[in-house]
Amino acid sequence: MRQPRPQHHVLVVDDDPTVTEVVAGYLDRAGFTVDRAADGRDALARAAAHPPDLVVLDLMLPGLDGLAVCARLREAGPVPVVMLTARGDEEDRILGLEVGADDYVTKPFSPRELVLRVSSVLRRAAGGPAPGGGALLRGGGVVLDPAARTAQDARGPLRLTLREFDLLAHFLRHPGRAFSREELMATVWGWDFGDLSTVTVHVRRLRHKVENDPARPRLITTVWGVGYRFDGG
């Protein structure tokens, strides 16, 4: 007999009860257990009491907004976050990515698309067999352990988000090769379409964590007209 699949616990944070009800309903039917919060402080309290596997987080919340909530969640641990933005403005999307959101969905959105995004982020967070196996990856003074999902350099452990870790692992597996943003989005994010500024923001964040001088990167370099290359092999 097939064993039941363990349910992932998702915390949905939105001050609009209609949005929360619809999102929670779709996630519940997809096999997730769902907790709900209507504001940032309640969300942080619920996350502390029952740590979620993923948080669906609205950017525009009363009091403590989604950016502040995401930053505090990141301080507590590497929980994946899918941000909901009320507008399609690039600034909103980039702000969410800058504080560590792993993905975003712009309102109005398809609840089915949101469920697919949640499932995709959770699969990436769970990891799995990676190209090259679980051997340590090294380059430019960085040592990355794919199995333990840890990374460090001479300065100590690197605090990486889910996507930053996957992006760095991809670069370390292919030193000296230039990748376009489209290629990185397809390989690292698993998306065939999407906003390419997602890649740009994550490269910038990663540089701030692995480069001695992010303004003059020596490891993750820009290849004009192509994309990015890891030169620390």
Side-chain angles (χ1 to χ4, degrees):
M1 185 174 68
R2 179 181 297 179
Q3 293 296 316
R5 183 180 61 181
Q7 290 185 317
H8 285 105
H9 170 218
V10 178
L11 174 61
V12 177
V13 188
D14 198 302
D15 63 325
D16 185 332
T18 301
V19 172
T20 303
E21 185 70 25
V22 171
V23 170
Y26 270 80
L27 289 171
D28 179 70
R29 287 191 290 275
F32 298 98
T33 59
V34 184
D35 195 7
R36 312 177 192 185
D39 59 65
R41 299 193 184 282
D42 186 27
L44 292 174
R46 290 176 181 274
H50 187 187
D53 297 306
L54 181 142
V55 179
V56 176
L57 178 63
D58 187 28
L59 178 64
M60 304 297 292
L61 292 171
L64 201 63
D65 67 17
L67 296 177
V69 173
C70 187
R72 295 193 187 184
L73 287 170
R74 286 290 182 213
E75 292 173 0
V79 58
V81 174
V82 175
M83 190 77 78
L84 302 179
T85 63
R87 301 185 302 276
D89 294 347
E90 182 179 18
E91 181 180 353
D92 284 348
R93 299 195 299 270
I94 289 178
L95 281 173
L97 295 170
E98 288 282 12
V99 296
D102 297 288
D103 199 353
Y104 63 87
V105 177
T106 303
K107 295 180 179 178
F109 57 86
S110 161
R112 292 186 180 184
E113 178 190 355
L114 177 60
V115 171
L116 290 174
R117 292 292 184 94
V118 167
S119 299
S120 174
V121 170
L122 284 169
R123 281 196 302 271
R124 302 292 293 192
L136 295 180
L137 301 173
R138 303 174 185 270
V142 175
V143 180
L144 184 146
D145 185 338
R149 293 192 71 83
T150 59
Q152 63 181 33
D153 62 12
R155 297 167 294 186
L158 300 173
R159 291 178 59 89
L160 304 176
T161 67
L162 168 67
R163 299 297 187 186
E164 290 166 359
F165 185 95
D166 291 342
L167 182 59
L168 179 57
H170 182 73
F171 279 135
L172 287 170
R173 290 190 178 102
H174 305 282
R177 177 180 169 186
F179 291 94
S180 69
R181 293 188 300 169
E182 290 87 352
E183 288 175 315
L184 291 172
M185 179 164 282
T187 304
V188 177
W189 277 259
W191 301 349
D192 294 326
F193 62 91
D195 184 353
L196 295 178
S197 65
T198 299
V199 177
T200 306
V201 170
H202 279 80
V203 168
R204 182 164 68 241
R205 286 178 53 85
L206 191 55
R207 281 173 170 164
H208 276 278
K209 296 181 180 182
V210 303
E211 300 278 3
N212 290 325
D213 183 358
R216 296 179 176 83
R218 298 174 61 88
L219 298 179
I220 305 172
T221 58
T222 298
V223 181
W224 297 109
V226 180
Y228 305 101
R229 182 182 64 226
F230 188 81
D231 288 330

